């Protein structure tokens, strides 16, 4: 795994939940894990990974992902055996 993606993964798993995780870094991590990412209506992003489709809201105008989304992503990764 690329060092940047490893750092993003560590931020996602940090306690307390980090508010400084850029959405573009999360998308790069998903791609590194083999995800297919598609655009949906509005600012929604469809992520196909681990045989599942999850839909996330791309943050705007700030590039940082909110804490609730980071926690949901952490839980999804944990459930599928991905850890830092």
């Amino acid at each position: 795994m690329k060092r940047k993606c490893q750092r993003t993964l560590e931020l996602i798993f940090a306690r307390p939940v980090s508010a400084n995780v850029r959405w573009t870094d999360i998308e790069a991590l998903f791609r590194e894990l083999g995800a297919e990412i598609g655009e949906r209506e509005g600012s929604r992003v469809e992520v196909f990974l681990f045989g599942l489709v999850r839909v996330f809201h791309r943050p705007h105008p700030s590039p940082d992902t909110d804490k609730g989304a980071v926690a949901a992503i952490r839980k999804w990764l944990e459930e599928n055996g991905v850890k830092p």
Side-chain angles (χ1 to χ4, degrees):
M1 180 178 290
K2 295 177 185 171
R3 179 68 188 136
K4 185 171 184 176
C5 290
Q6 182 64 38
R7 185 176 174 332
T8 302
L9 191 59
E10 290 167 2
L11 276 174
I12 290 171
F13 279 83
R15 301 272 187 190
V17 177
S18 177
N20 297 320
V21 185
R22 297 178 79 77
W23 177 254
T24 54
D25 293 343
I26 292 174
E27 280 190 22
L29 173 64
F30 286 155
R31 285 191 181 93
E32 181 78 14
L33 294 171
E36 294 178 25
I37 298 177
E39 300 293 325
R40 301 277 297 259
E41 54 282 333
S43 58
R44 291 177 189 82
V45 178
E46 176 183 85
V47 180
F48 180 73
L49 183 62
F50 311 122
L52 300 169
V53 174
R54 294 286 170 107
V55 177
F56 297 99
H57 183 268
R58 181 179 284 129
H60 60 82
S62 169
D64 295 329
T65 308
D66 68 68
K67 290 181 179 186
V70 172
I73 291 167
R74 176 182 26 199
K75 182 178 179 193
W76 187 36
L77 293 174
E78 277 181 326
E79 289 171 350
N80 289 283
V82 178
K83 298 192 187 223

